[in-house]
Amino acid sequence: MAPRTVLPDSGLPVRAARLAASVDSLRLNRRHWLVFAVCAAGFLFDGMEIQLLTLVSPVLQRTWSLSPEQVGILSSATMVGMLGGACLFGALSDRLGRRPGFQLTVALFATAAGLSALTQTPTQLIVVRFFVGIGVGGLVPVDTALMAEFVPAQHRGRMLALWALAFPVGGLIATGLVSVSLPWAGWRGILALGVLPGALVLALRRRVPETPQFLLARGKVREAERSVQWISLDQTLPPVPAEAAAAHADGEARRTGRTRALFSRDQWRATTVAWTLWFCWSFAYFGITLWLPTLLVLKGMPLGHAVTYGIGFQAAAILGRAALLPFVDRWGRKRLIVAAGLASAAAMAAFGLSHSPLWLVCTGYALSFCQDGGFSGITPLTPSLYPTGLRATGVGWANAAGRVAAMLAPLMVGALVAAQATTLIFMVFAACYVCAAAVVLAGSVSAGPARPVGLPAAGHGRNAKNVEQNEEMQR
């Protein structure tokens, strides 16, 4: 079916196309930075919440006489919740909106964080941490979609990568807090830290409206106009050709938020790459991060030194994301992911063979730098693979694949620690990073010229969508 002909200044398709294009053409202003700050604050506190449990795990192990397998189950409970939260809130925000999604996720993880400090048995803590995980896991696809749909195209990759930097910053803050407050606050006081920041973010997020692209996908053009006016500070909207307006309207009509659409003829390739990439990277990343203090203790390092080491480990992670941030657009997302993946594999293998304090610092910090630096490419790549009506669902399920890996990895580590095969742990994780780099290379295709996300290529329907997907995969 050929594209409809629409006059440049009449009809809803033209208005919708003009609004979609306007978001990509805006200059960065204080509203964009407000959206960024609100999303980054939520992600920062998520990073804090995950790291807090990791740091108090050795204390819980002694207090409740937990076996290594039980410590792995406790860590995996959060990951199971993150798996469910990513799927649930990704689909929910594609159906009901980004705004209700990001309000609910923060409210859930803040409430559950407070309850975790009141638990009396390992079973109770496992249950409550599951609900913490739902809130944490749900935040990622919702905030990724929100950032992708509010930030102008020319700044989107770097802003998303900068947003992802908030996660290791939260981990660093948590490590510093634990090193100072654990002796007098105890593990209950540490876990209670997630309540007040969550309440603050919940209040701030009420200021952010629904995204224009989601409203346009639902045919709510007038509401989308108000959203664009809010984010643009009433800048003049650009003119849009009639052909682009018709193509936009026809393309959006074919896009659906149902999960089965992820494996349609248009999307299966992107979905396969995204799921495999997130699974392999997360298996190694969370496997080493969640077990790091315990593994260091097993290598003979005192617990106090292990916590201090963790501060440097988190600082190296932040440095890695910040250092690779400028290369997101210079190298392209694919090249950055491949380079970081191969470097992470080499550093992981070296870290596993290290025993002296000096080599533990050198190889461990290099590993943290590289594996976190790779997220500067992974984070902006994932939402760019999906259209508006599938964006949060696609990101949510890609993150869910990562959460499955993050759930399984601590169990594997616990089993190998119990079997006294710690060296094998690091070899498996190194292989995961090699696999992640390989799947990005195998899934990449030749690209056409770059084009802002929001308007399709010439033509409409499946061919335009394939061109858009191929361009984003190459970037």
Side-chain angles (χ1 to χ4, degrees), residues 59-108:
V59 179
L60 290 172
Q61 186 176 19
R62 290 198 304 264
T63 302
W64 285 336
S65 300
L66 302 178
S67 67
E69 290 84 353
Q70 289 175 310
V71 175
I73 292 172
L74 182 59
S75 298
S76 294
T78 306
M79 297 304 159
V80 173
M82 293 171 75
L83 165 64
C87 299
L88 173 63
F89 283 101
L92 182 68
S93 67
D94 273 340
R95 293 175 181 243
L96 301 182
R98 316 311 189 198
R99 193 170 188 271
F102 65 50
Q103 288 284 78
L104 287 171
T105 54
V106 175
L108 181 59

Side-chain angles (χ1 to χ4, degrees), residues 353-433:
L353 298 174
S354 300
H355 293 283
S356 69
L358 176 61
W359 277 107
L360 281 174
V361 169
C362 294
T363 58
Y365 289 4
L367 168 63
S368 183
F369 180 97
C370 296
Q371 67 180 6
D372 267 273
F375 280 109
S376 292
I378 295 171
T379 301
L381 173 69
T382 310
S384 70
L385 299 178
Y386 297 100
T388 300
L390 271 177
R391 184 165 293 127
T393 301
V395 172
W397 278 93
N399 274 268
R403 301 315 175 193
V404 170
M407 175 184 66
L408 296 176
L411 298 176
M412 184 207 75
V413 175
L416 291 179
V417 167
Q420 299 183 346
T422 54
T423 301
L424 183 59
I425 296 171
F426 301 97
M427 298 303 106
V428 171
F429 290 160
C432 286
Y433 282 123

Side-chain angles (χ1 to χ4, degrees), residues 141-391:
V142 176
D143 278 17
T144 303
L146 190 80
M147 291 279 293
E149 293 169 13
F150 264 134
V151 175
Q154 60 180 331
H155 304 287
R156 187 172 294 136
R158 280 171 290 182
M159 288 281 278
L160 279 167
L162 186 61
W163 164 76
L165 181 61
F167 190 83
V169 170
L172 177 61
I173 293 173
T175 306
L177 287 173
V178 170
S179 65
V180 172
S181 58
L182 183 59
W184 58 267
W187 68 267
R188 295 186 187 277
I190 295 298
L191 293 183
L193 291 174
V195 179
L196 292 180
L200 176 63
V201 174
L202 187 64
L204 289 174
R205 289 189 172 201
R206 298 180 62 184
R207 298 185 57 189
V208 180
E210 188 56 77
T211 67
Q213 292 189 17
F214 176 83
L215 294 170
L216 290 173
R218 292 297 180 271
K220 300 178 180 180
V221 179
R222 291 187 179 181
E223 294 180 33
E225 288 175 337
R226 289 194 291 270
S227 181
V228 171
Q229 288 172 359
W230 181 86
I231 193 64
S232 67
L233 291 175
D234 296 322
Q235 294 179 36
T236 302
L237 303 185
V240 177
E243 293 80 3
H248 172 82
D250 287 347
E252 287 299 327
R254 289 175 169 80
R255 298 171 183 181
T256 173
R258 296 187 180 277
T259 303
R260 64 173 178 268
L262 296 176
F263 290 95
S264 65
R265 290 183 61 187
D266 295 343
Q267 293 295 154
W268 72 268
R269 186 188 186 97
T271 298
T272 301
V273 171
W275 286 25
T276 308
L277 171 62
W278 276 93
F279 183 92
C280 292
W281 205 281
S282 297
F283 192 91
Y285 180 87
F286 283 101
I288 191 65
T289 301
L290 294 176
W291 267 87
L292 182 63
T294 304
L295 289 174
L296 290 173
V297 170
L298 290 174
K299 281 179 173 286
M301 184 178 292
L303 177 59
H305 293 174
V307 173
T308 303
Y309 180 95
I311 296 176
F313 196 85
Q314 293 294 332
I318 295 169
L319 181 60
R321 297 205 190 201
L324 295 184
L325 186 63
F327 297 95
V328 174
D329 296 323
R330 189 178 305 173
W331 288 358
R333 299 159 194 176
K334 182 201 74 170
R335 292 184 181 90
L336 191 151
I337 294 169
V338 171
L342 295 178
S344 296
M348 181 70 77
F351 183 61
L353 298 174
S354 300
H355 293 283
S356 69
L358 176 61
W359 277 107
L360 281 174
V361 169
C362 294
T363 58
Y365 289 4
L367 168 63
S368 183
F369 180 97
C370 296
Q371 67 180 6
D372 267 273
F375 280 109
S376 292
I378 295 171
T379 301
L381 173 69
T382 310
S384 70
L385 299 178
Y386 297 100
T388 300
L390 271 177
R391 184 165 293 127

Side-chain angles (χ1 to χ4, degrees), residues 110-123:
T111 302
L115 293 175
S116 65
L118 303 176
T119 56
Q120 302 298 317
T121 66
T123 301

